[in-house]
Amino acid sequence: MITKQEKQYSDKEIYNILHPWVREWFRGNFKTFSQAQRQAIVDIHQGQNVLVSSPTGSGKTLTAFLSIISELTTLAEADELEDEVYCIYISPLKALDNDIEKNLDDPLSGIEEIAGKKLGIRKMVRTGDTSQYQRSKMLKIPPHILITTPETLSILLVAPKFREKLKSVRYVIVDEIHSLADNKRGTHLSLSLERLARMVGDFTRIGLSATVHPLERVAEFLVGLHYGQPRNCLIVEVNYLKQLDMELICPVEDIITTDTDEVNRAMYQSLHGLIQEHQTTLIFTNTRSGTESVVFNLKKRYPDFYNHDNIMAHHSSLSRELRLEAENQLKDGKLKVVVSSTSLELGIDIGYIDLVVMVSSPKSVSRALQRIGRSGHQLHEKSKGRMMVVDRDDLVECALILKNARDGRIDEIHIPGNCLDVLSQHIYGMAIESRWDIDDALAVIRGSYPYRNLSREDFDSVLSYLAGEYTRLEDRYVYAKIWVDWDKNELGRRGRLARMLYSTNIGTIPDRSAAVVKCNGQVVGRVEEDFMEKLRKGDSFVLGGRIYRFNYARGMSVNVSPASGPPTIPSWFSEQLPLSFDLALEIQKFRGILEWEFKKGRSQDEIMKYIQEYLYLDYNAAHSIYQYFREQYLYAEIPSLKKLLVEFYTGYGGRKFVVFHTLFGRRVNDALSRALAYVIARKFRRDVMISVSDNGFYLSSEGKIGGLEAFKELTADNLEEILVEAIDKTETLAGRFRHCAGRSLMILRRYKGQEKSVGRQQVKGKILLKFVKDLDPNFSILKEARREVMEDYMDVKNARKVLKLLEEEKMDIKQISTRIPSPFAFNLVAQGYLDVLKYEERMEFIRRMHQAILKEIGSSS
């Protein structure tokens, strides 16, 4: 049963369960226990599963470790500490593992000092970076606290000698569990924990999480199921939302009427002022290019203040050395400011930060709270965050993030289910461990939360693939990995190299690299694999300031030819974070409220006052929102949760556009727009250009599109079926299939010491994809690739909800024709038209459209 922990233990009750030496060490270092510690330490001591949700810097790590250290101290004093692992600590980051090892030095050496002797409690890090010498040493003298990653744990489960050292495991701590639960690394870990439980019996599971919703779901993910029922778990929720110091900054009175240079000047002036007022500032942008731009601009505008000694960038495209340098400089308090994309969101120790600034919308409430939680790391100190907005859509998003964060409404976490590629990997691992009864193996797998609903049909299908029952796959060098005896209901490993193959190809993170772009045989640049996956034949995009048409991709080489006209795919698209569906719904509700206020004939002052109070905004921000909505209301209609607006307009050169104002986030819009374009292509035999954003999508063509009629053909029931056909020949499916084939060991990334390049994996993936489509359209790994595209990359579940709203007439479709795109469509149209232009020129284009709108509605505002 999953229950909220209401009880807070007194200092006396906690001290009573701690070993006297541990008690003395704690008293010497802390005045009292934090709230999380009061609610969890005693229960962990009693062997209860616990999920602790509280901000970074609130004593979470010590909450998890204190009673464990106390128990190990008791065993050490009695000379009963065996050479075995008692506690496994798992985190998603190697850097976090190293931090934890250092952070445990303090209590362990402090307790030994009090004891006046060596206790011999050992802790060690074991990751992919651990040397062979360290691994052998660990086997002879294992750590009592093993610090590792999800991937390394699954390797240790099949290592015969190290498995023996895990027989005494009593505790498993999963740190940053929210960042694992929503992806396949978490799915992988969840199965490893069930396999470990099968080996050692039930152990105490401790999850540490930032703010996430719903906590009950994350708790079930942590503890798994026993005979179909979730194991018991206590949820400790330390809610610091009321202590948040969180504000939105709109640098100018009206973003759209102010000149671009002036907006930029005001933004950097605000940023510079905030940095000067604080000791250390962490600035988050959403993209790597944004990160570089902010660092460059601060240095350029204030050369006397910023230099390499006090400002640094941190993002995933930088070398490991540069990232480590930034982290260490931060820890040592040498940097005044660091600018990051998403790479510093997780809880690695970066020292004291007293302000977090987010430039542009973080796209979800939980991400905003996660980022702001990086500041104020002294206990009981407020986390301080500012959101800096640079356009009107950004402003509305951030305003609703601010409101929902203050009101305690957080977006739902998405946990992938029944991932058949990860399942293949684990069944192979289980077969290497020992011979299994098939029903027993299925029971263990269904104990993992993501596989609780795994069908017998899918399970058997994966067994058939692994057992080599698709004999024609051998023609493509995909060989059987296990044997299955259906009569005896048993499975086991096949081949002497099984353990080596498994250990060198384990994990869920696909190898990625940039693809080379060639035009007439000449290399013209590189694009990311993610971006390449989105390309379909005929798409055009910008590279190095020029427009190219995509012809085809072979391996990691993209063939293009020169093109003219607006690009169909923005080059920065792949970097963008998607807006969360829950936040999108909140924005839609707010749109409906404001339309009602205008319809009632409220004055500007009344509506402004309402906006300021409802969204906790200052005058500048409220004024920009008021003008934005007023212009949309007077010129067109305000779309909302009750009204889907479809806007028809004719652009330059007679090109026809149909804009769907579906503010449901990019993942939902991607699903709706692809299905719709497929229906149109099938009906009118015409290629349609698509551009997608969080706020909607448009279709464009030189002839009749019939976009609205085609949209009405989409239903909640047929959407999935249409999408399967729509994605069938896309690079998106090809790319995801290659990843799934790698995870399921159809493609071996490493074999007998040889690495297979990403390019060769890509070519093999395409050959295999074509092969398995002919072999069996429902082949398990192909089925998984489709699921991943539709459920994890797109959001077919919520796209169905949108169609359901229309079917049940809870949302009307309103059709309008416009000569100029309506204000709510500006950013979407500019995105597709002006990828070739710089950001400033795009803003100028939007400003010109805005001037035209003001003339239309006869306003001088």
Side-chain angles (χ1 to χ4, degrees):
M1 205 166 78
I2 311 290
T3 48
K4 281 270 174 85
Q5 169 66 299
E6 304 295 345
K7 184 168 182 180
Q8 288 203 31
Y9 293 91
S10 66
D11 285 19
K12 188 183 173 187
E13 286 173 299
I14 302 172
Y15 283 137
N16 277 347
I17 62 121
L18 295 178
H19 187 282
W21 297 337
V22 178
R23 190 186 311 153
E24 194 179 326
W25 171 81
F26 189 89
R27 278 186 169 138
N29 286 273
F30 300 93
K31 287 180 189 156
T32 185
F33 293 97
S34 70
Q35 190 184 330
Q37 289 161 357
R38 285 188 188 287
Q39 291 189 273
I41 288 171
V42 173
D43 292 295
I44 292 169
H45 171 76
Q46 290 167 354
Q48 293 257 38
N49 297 321
V50 176
L51 173 65
V52 181
S53 169
S54 73
T56 313
S58 56
K60 272 203 299 255
T61 310
L62 200 54
T63 304
F65 274 113
L66 200 62
S67 55
I68 297 170
I69 291 170
S70 177
E71 184 172 336
L72 292 176
T73 304
T74 303
L75 290 171
E77 189 193 14
D79 203 24
E80 290 173 5
L81 206 53
E82 303 286 340
D83 281 344
E84 292 187 321
V85 177
Y86 289 85
C87 168
I88 302 175
Y89 167 92
I90 300 159
S91 93
L93 294 175
K94 291 174 189 172
L96 194 48
D97 282 343
N98 295 326
D99 280 349
I100 291 296
E101 193 196 17
K102 286 193 199 101
N103 293 345
L104 285 174
D105 280 339
D106 240 17
L108 294 178
S109 57
I111 292 160
E112 284 189 335
E113 214 172 284
I114 291 161
K117 62 175 181 178
K118 286 276 179 202
L119 295 174
I121 299 171
R122 297 183 298 272
K123 38 70 177 170
M124 292 179 199
V125 174
R126 171 81 182 252
T127 67
D129 294 343
T130 306
S131 68
Q132 196 54 52
Y133 167 72
Q134 287 290 342
R135 290 178 195 187
S136 319
K137 195 172 148 190
M138 221 177 268
L139 201 52
K140 288 180 191 132
I141 313 166
H144 302 113
I145 298 171
L146 173 66
I147 300 163
T148 192
T149 59
E151 292 76 16
T152 302
L153 174 62
S154 61
I155 291 171
L156 296 177
L157 288 174
V158 300
K161 290 176 184 168
F162 207 94
R163 267 171 70 83
E164 292 307 307
K165 309 295 181 189
L166 298 176
K167 291 282 171 70
S168 294
V169 168
R170 298 181 194 174
Y171 303 95
V172 172
I173 300 167
V174 183
D175 205 348
E176 303 284 351
I177 191 169
H178 58 282
S179 75
L180 287 167
D182 69 354
N183 57 61
K184 288 190 174 182
R185 282 187 87 196
T187 307
H188 195 278
L189 173 62
S190 174
L191 279 172
S192 291
L193 293 181
E194 291 310 311
R195 286 168 59 192
L196 181 65
R198 166 69 177 226
M199 187 171 94
V200 306
D202 267 347
F203 44 82
T204 302
R205 304 186 193 210
I206 304 152
L208 305 178
S209 175
T211 309
V212 67
H213 173 77
L215 278 168
E216 290 76 14
R217 195 178 300 164
V218 179
E220 285 189 32
F221 171 81
L222 168 70
V223 298
L225 299 90
H226 191 59
Y227 291 111
Q229 293 302 312
R231 294 181 179 91
N232 291 340
C233 186
L234 282 173
I235 294 174
V236 172
E237 185 177 12
V238 180
N239 196 333
Y240 281 123
L241 290 177
K242 292 182 177 63
Q243 290 162 259
L244 271 183
D245 176 0
M246 187 175 174
E247 288 175 18
L248 184 149
I249 296 171
C250 187
V252 292
E253 187 175 325
D254 195 335
I255 296 173
I256 194 131
T257 56
T258 311
D259 178 71
T260 306
D261 291 342
E262 178 55 32
V263 172
N264 280 339
R265 192 195 61 76
M267 183 185 92
Y268 283 105
Q269 194 174 20
S270 289
L271 270 181
H272 181 55
L274 288 167
I275 291 161
Q276 284 179 307
E277 287 163 22
H278 295 85
Q279 187 182 318
T280 310
T281 302
L282 171 56
I283 298 173
F284 280 107
T285 68
N286 288 344
T287 63
R288 284 156 283 181
S289 52
T291 294
E292 296 290 359
S293 175
V294 170
V295 172
F296 172 78
N297 269 288
L298 284 171
K299 281 181 174 177
K300 189 178 93 173
R301 289 167 191 269
Y302 304 99
D304 297 339
F305 189 83
Y306 300 103
N307 54 58
H308 183 69
D309 295 333
N310 64 8
I311 182 171
M312 284 187 81
H314 190 288
H315 58 74
S316 56
S317 291
L318 290 173
S319 69
R320 186 167 175 267
E321 291 73 24
L322 277 171
R323 291 203 307 272
L324 278 174
E325 187 190 342
E327 288 161 24
N328 292 330
Q329 296 272 63
L330 259 181
K331 266 181 229 178
D332 298 342
K334 291 177 182 169
L335 289 180
K336 187 74 181 159
V337 57
V338 69
V339 188
S340 169
S341 53
T342 56
S343 52
L344 285 177
E345 286 178 351
L346 292 184
I348 53 173
D349 181 11
I350 49 174
Y352 178 70
I353 285 163
D354 50 347
L355 176 69
V356 168
V357 180
M358 287 167 276
V359 176
S360 291
S361 163
K363 299 289 177 183
S364 77
V365 181
S366 49
R367 183 171 243 120
L369 293 172
Q370 171 90 356
R371 289 176 172 183
I372 292 169
R374 302 300 273 141
S375 71
H377 275 197
Q378 264 89 338
L379 200 53
H380 311 306
E381 188 175 321
K382 276 187 176 184
S383 288
K384 189 173 186 181
R386 299 290 179 264
M387 288 186 283
M388 185 81 69
V389 296
V390 289
D391 75 37
R392 301 199 292 185
D393 287 332
D394 223 30
L395 169 58
V396 175
E397 270 178 37
C398 288
L400 268 299
I401 285 173
L402 177 66
K403 176 176 176 58
N404 284 306
R406 289 207 178 166
D407 295 350
R409 279 200 296 275
I410 299 155
D411 349 76
E412 274 198 31
I413 189 168
H414 162 71
I415 299 175
N418 299 328
C419 307
L420 302 181
D421 50 353
V422 177
L423 178 63
S424 304
Q425 201 177 113
H426 272 275
I427 291 173
Y428 190 28
M430 289 164 80
I432 293 166
E433 274 174 40
S434 64
R435 180 183 290 233
W436 284 79
D437 175 87
I438 290 175
D439 293 335
D440 283 357
L442 179 58
V444 168
I445 289 159
R446 282 181 177 160
S448 153
Y449 177 80
Y451 293 96
R452 65 200 182 282
N453 300 320
L454 178 69
S455 71
R456 181 70 198 229
E457 185 188 356
D458 281 344
F459 176 66
D460 286 350
S461 169
V462 170
L463 289 184
S464 294
Y465 147 59
L466 288 171
E469 291 179 6
Y470 291 91
T471 50
R472 284 178 54 207
L473 277 172
E474 290 192 4
D475 299 344
R476 291 286 170 258
Y477 309 104
V478 178
Y479 299 106
K481 311 229 168 8
I482 65 171
W483 57 261
V484 174
D485 186 327
W486 298 104
D487 295 330
K488 289 185 180 172
N489 206 42
E490 285 183 338
L491 66 91
R493 81 169 190 184
R494 181 186 287 204
R496 286 182 313 231
L497 294 172
R499 188 171 293 109
M500 183 275 289
L501 285 180
Y502 182 76
S503 300
T504 51
N505 288 280
I506 199 86
T508 60
I509 303 167
D511 294 340
R512 291 179 182 276
S513 73
V516 175
V517 181
K518 290 182 178 177
C519 181
N520 299 324
Q522 295 289 308
V523 174
V524 291
R526 284 177 163 74
V527 292
E528 289 169 301
E529 187 189 347
D530 273 12
F531 179 66
M532 183 181 79
E533 283 179 10
K534 294 182 177 66
L535 297 171
R536 294 184 307 162
K537 190 172 181 179
D539 277 344
S540 54
F541 63 97
V542 174
L543 189 63
R546 295 187 176 168
I547 300 173
Y548 295 100
R549 182 181 304 281
F550 171 71
N551 299 323
Y552 59 85
R554 286 216 180 109
M556 295 304 282
S557 178
V558 175
N559 180 282
V560 298
S561 46
S564 58
T568 59
I569 304 264
S571 59
W572 39 266
F573 180 84
S574 64
E575 281 195 336
Q576 295 291 309
L577 295 169
L579 180 72
S580 81
F581 183 70
D582 295 336
L583 181 59
L585 294 186
E586 292 295 326
I587 297 170
Q588 294 265 40
K589 284 176 195 165
F590 174 68
R591 282 179 166 188
I593 292 168
L594 272 207
E595 184 184 40
W596 180 243
E597 293 291 312
F598 282 117
K599 276 185 173 165
K600 285 197 291 190
R602 297 266 196 259
S603 69
Q604 177 171 343
D605 285 349
E606 286 172 319
I607 296 176
M608 284 275 294
K609 184 168 181 276
Y610 173 78
I611 293 170
Q612 281 182 268
E613 287 174 3
Y614 183 76
L615 296 177
Y616 314 112
L617 298 178
D618 64 9
Y619 175 83
N620 278 4
H623 183 257
S624 283
I625 287 178
Y626 170 78
Q627 294 292 9
Y628 188 24
F629 277 72
R630 177 177 174 270
E631 288 157 18
Q632 179 73 22
Y633 177 73
L634 292 176
Y635 179 70
E637 298 248 356
I638 294 179
S640 66
L641 209 48
K642 292 187 175 172
K643 178 173 38 178
L644 193 159
L645 190 63
V646 180
E647 180 177 347
F648 292 80
Y649 85 96
T650 304
Y652 301 117
R655 195 169 183 90
K656 294 189 167 42
F657 290 81
V658 185
V659 180
F660 288 81
H661 289 265
T662 47
L663 198 161
F664 296 107
R666 182 180 285 108
R667 289 174 62 230
V668 167
N669 289 337
D670 206 341
L672 292 174
S673 63
R674 284 200 198 220
L676 182 54
Y678 182 76
V679 169
I680 291 168
R682 201 169 55 183
K683 198 170 180 177
F684 293 101
R685 304 258 176 252
R686 178 175 285 122
D687 275 342
V688 179
M689 189 170 100
I690 311 172
S691 190
V692 179
S693 78
D694 286 315
N695 288 18
F697 62 91
Y698 74 62
L699 307 176
S700 169
S701 175
E702 282 162 4
K704 180 172 164 46
I705 310 176
L708 193 52
E709 303 91 88
F711 189 72
K712 286 173 180 170
E713 287 184 30
L714 294 182
T715 66
D717 291 335
N718 71 14
L719 177 66
E720 203 159 323
E721 188 187 319
I722 290 170
L723 262 183
V724 167
E725 292 176 32
I727 64 170
D728 190 56
K729 291 185 172 63
T730 61
E731 288 295 323
T732 308
L733 181 67
R736 299 288 159 152
F737 177 79
R738 195 263 289 174
H739 297 166
C740 294
R743 289 187 203 103
S744 61
L745 310 176
M746 287 183 82
I747 297 175
L748 296 174
R749 292 173 289 173
R750 289 161 203 90
Y751 183 66
K752 292 185 178 177
Q754 295 288 308
E755 291 268 341
K756 184 172 280 184
S757 71
V758 176
R760 283 183 62 207
Q761 288 179 44
Q762 193 82 1
V763 171
K764 175 114 191 231
K766 290 216 169 162
I767 293 167
L768 276 176
L769 175 58
K770 188 174 184 316
F771 191 77
V772 298
K773 276 181 183 173
D774 294 338
L775 188 66
D776 178 0
N778 288 312
F779 182 71
S780 54
I781 309 308
L782 175 58
K783 184 176 179 178
E784 172 54 26
R786 290 186 186 123
R787 187 212 64 77
E788 188 179 314
V789 171
M790 296 199 297
E791 291 180 20
D792 302 347
Y793 169 63
M794 296 179 197
D795 185 355
V796 72
K797 185 183 98 178
N798 285 319
R800 274 203 301 262
K801 278 187 191 171
V802 173
L803 294 173
K804 202 94 180 143
L805 286 173
L806 290 166
E807 284 163 36
E808 292 171 356
E809 297 183 352
K810 290 176 182 170
M811 182 194 282
D812 296 326
I813 293 182
K814 184 71 192 279
Q815 183 179 336
I816 59 166
S817 293
T818 56
R819 205 168 54 80
I820 309 151
S822 70
F824 281 9
F826 283 179
N827 271 329
L828 181 58
V829 172
Q831 166 186 305
Y833 248 109
L834 293 172
D835 190 48
V836 71
L837 298 180
K838 296 201 294 277
Y839 169 77
E840 289 76 11
E841 292 166 320
R842 190 180 290 123
M843 294 312 292
E844 190 50 46
F845 176 77
I846 288 171
R847 202 161 280 114
R848 283 207 302 274
M849 285 199 289
H850 177 248
Q851 292 301 327
I853 291 284
L854 293 183
K855 276 186 190 158
E856 287 281 323
I857 60 178
S859 167
S860 57
S861 60

